[in-house]
Amino acid sequence: MDLAKQLASRVSTLSPSTTLAITAKAKEMKESGIDVIGLGAGEPDYNTPEPILEAAWRSMKEGKTKYTPSGGLPALKDAVIGKLERDQGLTYTRTEVMIGIGAKHVLYTLFQTILDPTDEVIIPAPYWVSYPEQVKLAGGVPVVVQATAEAEFKVTASQIEVAITSKTKALILNSPGNPTGMVYTEEELKAIAEVCKARDIWIISDEIYEKLVYGTAKHVSIATLSDDAKTRTFIINGVSKSHSMTGWRIGFIAGNEEVVKAMTNLASHSTSNPVTTSQYAAIEAYNGSQDAVEMMRKSFSSRLERIYPQIQAIPGFNTVKPQGAFYLLPDVSEAVKHTGYENVDAFAKALLEEANVAVIPGSGFGSEETIRLSYATSIDLLEEAVHRIDQFVKSKWND
């Protein structure tokens, strides 16, 4: 029997997560004794803050280890509602909020809920690796709109308008962005909101890096710009990046009540409920002190200021300075050309195998000439990694 023929078509064409694959390979090499520096993982290098750990432990000791409502604990929904009111000045009710098993699961459930076969979703590139795959899993069609380095990797309202067809169902916005770290301004978002209003499409606003903004940049949720923008926007967020809780798997959606209700019904047949202990941890994350969140933000900002000029100094690297998240996305096409590699994927593979530095090739993000480097690691390791990359490129450079 040809087992491959037994696979459903919905999964047979899926691309694996480039980020997770590279990270797994780097960990495997480290476990075998190789001194690998991983700049691939998209997670803070800090442990979850102590008060959150204590809240989780306390909940278990108190016997709070049973099923919860499929859409999340009412107390966690209230914590999310309080966070949105406090940070964005937005008002939601419990019926407009669903808790999911990480923001990734929330996005997956949303696409499964709103997309029919051939519905189109506009995805600005560079994009997070899972957006196109999740759209395809729901039977939808990803429509990629390419942003350029000259435009700071941000698409314009006019680009979006050109991409909209009669089949367009939604636009995905990710600000601050992964893998670019770029932040849309209020003026840029206003123009985009007007296009979405005129063409009557949903806005999916992925704000998972909301707390990680630097310099003069300011995070603005597109849902805050008008009543119409709020009505057509789904805010996606969670505690993974802001509170260093990637493994706890808690995310949320806030938006249209009917869609959220349908998502909750779907979750009831697929996941039952988010992990109970994690939900109690997330309640503390949102309701407790935010000092650790600010401490981490300042640390990432400091690392960026230290490491950015060093990355720029590597021959053949050209990097737009990010304004948020914890990624750099240098264009390495010149370095690839002068080091003799066929493409960026081969260049990144050689960096891992010869220089022992793990980076993510931009092909997984819809950006073929770039690599993504995470600076969510110690400054000493970052500077050593940059030194290795610099020496690797110089040793291979030819005119």
Side-chain angles (χ1 to χ4, degrees):
M1 178 185 292
D2 184 352
L3 294 180
K5 291 182 179 178
Q6 310 308 310
L7 294 176
S9 59
R10 73 177 65 88
V11 298
S12 61
T13 60
L14 280 181
S15 301
S17 169
T18 309
T19 308
L20 295 181
I22 294 290
T23 301
K25 176 65 175 176
K27 286 182 178 178
E28 181 183 312
M29 291 174 66
K30 288 186 74 170
E31 288 170 359
S32 69
I34 301 172
D35 179 23
V36 172
I37 300 176
L39 302 183
E43 60 182 347
D45 54 314
Y46 293 96
N47 193 19
T48 304
E50 193 66 27
I52 299 173
L53 299 177
E54 291 172 358
W57 176 248
R58 188 166 57 249
S59 75
M60 291 186 286
K61 293 291 285 183
E62 293 173 354
K64 297 174 180 176
T65 57
K66 309 302 181 183
Y67 291 129
T68 75
S70 293
L73 288 165
L76 180 50
K77 288 189 177 188
D78 289 344
V80 167
I81 290 166
K83 171 258 181 295
L84 291 167
E85 174 66 36
R86 183 172 64 246
D87 292 345
Q88 275 86 32
L90 292 167
T91 302
Y92 291 92
T93 64
R94 286 181 181 176
T95 56
E96 295 173 303
V97 173
M98 188 195 88
I99 311 300
I101 306 173
K104 180 182 283 189
H105 167 246
V106 171
L107 279 163
Y108 175 85
T109 307
L110 175 60
F111 291 129
Q112 291 292 325
T113 302
I114 66 171
L115 295 182
D116 284 319
T118 75
D119 281 347
E120 296 176 353
V121 178
I122 296 174
I123 305 176
Y127 47 70
W128 178 52
V129 294
S130 292
Y131 291 147
E133 305 306 321
Q134 290 194 355
V135 169
K136 289 189 288 185
L137 278 169
V141 179
V143 176
V144 175
V145 177
Q146 193 71 46
T148 64
E150 292 73 23
E152 297 184 330
F153 292 122
K154 294 184 283 188
V155 296
T156 64
S158 58
Q159 282 181 286
I160 293 168
E161 187 165 26
V162 169
I164 293 174
T165 72
S166 60
K167 295 183 178 181
T168 304
K169 198 68 168 286
L171 160 73
I172 298 176
L173 280 178
N174 180 207
S175 177
N178 173 11
T180 67
M182 302 314 295
V183 179
Y184 282 84
T185 67
E186 184 171 345
E187 291 70 27
E188 290 165 340
L189 292 173
K190 282 180 177 177
I192 291 170
E194 285 302 312
V195 169
C196 294
K197 177 182 179 181
R199 303 300 295 271
D200 193 23
I201 63 172
W202 293 115
I203 301 169
I204 301 169
S205 184
D206 183 347
E207 303 180 12
I208 195 71
Y209 293 96
E210 165 208 2
K211 294 295 183 180
L212 299 177
V213 290
Y214 317 122
T216 59
K218 178 184 176 183
H219 171 261
V220 177
S221 174
I222 196 168
T224 65
L225 299 182
S226 68
D227 289 341
D228 180 83
K230 180 175 182 286
T231 298
R232 69 178 62 255
T233 296
F234 296 105
I235 293 178
I236 310 291
N237 208 330
V239 291
S240 290
K241 316 297 182 179
S242 57
H243 294 80
S244 195
M245 294 175 66
T246 50
W248 296 80
R249 308 313 302 138
I250 293 292
F252 71 81
I253 186 170
N256 179 274
E257 181 177 2
E258 290 303 311
V259 173
V260 168
K261 179 181 178 181
M263 290 175 64
T264 304
N265 289 339
L266 177 56
S268 73
H269 290 291
S270 56
T271 58
S272 291
N273 62 267
V275 176
T276 303
T277 304
S278 295
Q279 291 188 70
Y280 282 103
I283 291 170
E284 172 62 27
Y286 282 134
N287 288 347
S289 170
Q290 303 300 301
D291 290 349
V293 175
E294 178 61 10
M295 178 277 292
M296 288 186 280
R297 188 198 69 80
K298 287 181 177 178
S299 175
F300 291 133
S301 178
S302 175
R303 293 176 193 178
L304 173 61
E305 293 305 314
R306 283 276 294 276
I307 212 70
Y308 173 74
Q310 297 177 41
I311 292 288
Q312 274 291 79
I314 298 174
F317 277 48
N318 185 23
T319 314
V320 178
K321 188 176 182 181
Q323 300 165 311
F326 38 64
Y327 307 112
L328 291 156
L329 192 73
D331 181 317
V332 297
S333 55
E334 280 298 305
V336 171
K337 173 184 174 183
H338 286 281
T339 53
Y341 289 96
E342 182 181 357
N343 51 40
V344 171
D345 286 50
F347 178 80
K349 183 173 184 288
L351 272 180
L352 179 58
E353 295 176 348
E354 298 180 39
N356 296 338
V357 177
V359 300
I360 310 297
S363 55
F365 306 106
S367 182
E368 299 286 342
E369 297 185 336
T370 65
I371 58 173
R372 193 192 76 174
L373 305 90
S374 168
Y375 51 92
T377 191
S378 73
I379 192 63
D380 290 341
L381 285 176
L382 283 170
E383 291 188 327
E384 172 60 22
V386 173
H387 173 71
R388 292 183 187 182
I389 296 170
D390 181 64
Q391 293 302 302
F392 172 83
V393 171
K394 288 176 178 176
S395 70
K396 306 277 186 176
W397 193 272
N398 62 73
D399 295 321

